[in-house]
Amino acid sequence: MRAASALVDTALDRSVVLGFTRLGLGVRSHLPGWPADPAPQALLGRHVAVTGASSGLGAATALGLARLGAQLHLVVRNPEKARPVVARIVTEVPTAVVEVHRCDVGDLDDVRRFAASFESPLDVLVHNAGVMPPSRTESQQGHELAMAVHVLGPVLMSELLRPRERVVLVTSGGMYAQRLRADDPEYLTGRYSPTTAYARSKRAQVELLSILDRRWEASVWATHPGWADTPGVADSLPGFRRLTRPLLRDAEGGADTTVWLSAVDPAPPGGSLWHDRRRRPPHFSPTTRSRPGDVARMWRWVCEQIGIEETSPDKGGAER
């Protein structure tokens, strides 16, 4: 039965449409071998931060973590937008402890300010904040915005906060269509496409996982949520949403694996991509595999932009 379940799971994954939609999660969650939910109160006493937690996947992730007893830190650009999220959490989980912190993840100076002001010992950090501007946009430091929000800001924040247990980067299945562009990380050549820029930055997240997992004391994973019906999708991909809305997952379904990885015990090995509680291959096609030296080149660029040492020592030996 387990072998047959694995075949069905893989077939769903490779089909994309079936695997990424609510159908994939619905079928997989009823297959033999579906990983068990984390234990009740699995995160009791742990401090967990979620970026981009004012709506969509971030809000659903925060609620899921609160149900498991986490002491939550919602990291958002606009604290006012986080108020309904906090209200929903404390209504459903009256014992929840929730703090809201202002930070623009794409602004490296703001990330440094936030990290310097953060006083709690952090156990788990979920990087969920995301952007897809319609035209090429630059951050406060002059970086292409998708790369700043999805790669530079998260790496710097994790480097400064050093979570003690886990780091989860919420990526996108769109990265399967792109290879790592270490030759043009700022998207300075060619005609700019918002979906391509988004996917390139998400590809960079996945390609750097093994380096980040070795560098930090925490286990590091990326999760892709599949296709979920969120405000971000509605704003950035309205045509896609119109065509696929009957099949889209809700935000809670999209956040399921992020919440699961944040709390499951024992934690699986880090440095890998996950979807629907299973480790997934980082490539569907050989054409997206990185060229020799490209991952090291991209890591060198990231280190230069955020001002950290390039070395990637074993866990426990990272520069603080």
Side-chain angles (χ1 to χ4, degrees):
M1 289 296 291
R2 292 293 181 92
S5 295
L7 288 174
V8 172
D9 176 76
T10 299
L12 289 169
D13 201 43
R14 298 305 186 273
S15 73
V16 177
V17 172
L18 294 178
F20 288 14
T21 61
R22 62 182 177 84
L23 299 177
L25 180 59
V27 171
R28 286 174 172 134
S29 63
H30 288 88
L31 290 174
W34 174 253
D37 292 341
Q41 301 298 292
L43 293 173
L44 188 65
R46 287 178 169 85
H47 288 262
V48 182
V50 183
T51 70
S54 58
S55 67
L57 294 175
T61 299
L63 179 58
L65 296 170
R67 290 170 179 157
L68 294 171
Q71 182 161 331
L72 285 174
H73 300 269
L74 309 186
V75 183
V76 299
R77 283 190 302 168
N78 185 345
E80 288 297 316
K81 290 186 177 181
R83 287 192 176 188
V85 179
V86 175
R88 182 184 177 191
I89 290 172
V90 298
T91 297
E92 182 168 330
V93 188
T95 58
V97 178
V98 187
E99 296 183 48
V100 177
H101 307 262
R102 181 186 63 78
C103 181
D104 182 346
V105 178
D107 183 340
L108 301 181
D109 291 337
D110 204 35
V111 171
R112 293 186 181 96
R113 175 204 58 77
F114 160 69
S117 69
F118 193 86
E119 298 179 348
S120 301
L122 189 61
D123 297 292
V124 181
L125 175 55
V126 177
H127 291 292
N128 170 81
V131 294
M132 190 190 292
S135 59
R136 190 181 183 281
T137 306
E138 293 187 349
S139 69
Q140 290 294 318
Q141 289 74 36
H143 299 296
E144 192 275 317
L145 192 58
M147 193 64 73
V149 172
H150 303 148
V151 180
L152 298 179
V155 173
L156 179 60
M157 185 181 293
S158 299
E159 187 78 11
L160 295 174
L161 294 178
R162 287 300 174 106
R164 298 185 296 189
E165 297 182 14
R166 311 178 191 208
V167 177
V168 184
L169 294 136
V170 180
T171 188
S172 167
M175 64 95 198
Y176 280 119
Q178 297 294 320
R179 68 173 177 84
L180 186 67
R181 290 299 305 269
D183 59 321
D184 187 22
E186 301 277 19
Y187 210 143
L188 294 172
T189 61
R191 184 176 180 179
Y192 185 85
S193 161
T195 53
T196 300
Y198 185 86
R200 284 185 183 182
S201 65
K202 296 297 187 176
R203 166 58 66 187
Q205 288 180 333
V206 172
E207 296 293 340
L208 293 176
L209 283 174
S210 61
I211 292 176
L212 300 177
D213 187 65
R214 292 194 303 269
R215 182 177 180 92
W216 298 329
E217 295 178 359
S219 295
V220 183
W221 307 280
T223 64
H224 87 74
W227 295 346
D229 192 6
T230 65
V233 169
D235 291 342
S236 301
L237 299 169
F240 170 81
R241 182 173 182 262
R242 282 195 299 271
L243 289 172
T244 61
R245 190 173 183 182
L247 296 175
L248 295 181
R249 303 175 178 209
D250 60 17
E252 186 169 341
D256 176 79
T257 299
T258 300
V259 174
W260 181 81
L261 272 178
S262 299
V264 68
D265 184 30
S272 49
L273 171 67
W274 290 70
H275 173 61
D276 283 352
R277 303 192 186 187
R278 297 288 189 191
R279 184 172 179 170
R280 303 296 173 182
H283 303 276
F284 280 171
S285 168
T287 62
T288 65
R289 296 188 184 277
S290 299
R291 297 169 180 172
D294 271 359
V295 175
R297 185 177 176 184
M298 176 62 80
W299 175 238
R300 186 176 307 116
W301 177 80
V302 170
C303 292
E304 290 172 351
Q305 306 316 306
I306 65 178
I308 64 172
E309 293 291 331
E310 183 185 337
T311 53
S312 181
D314 292 336
K315 288 184 178 182
E319 306 259 349
R320 299 294 295 220

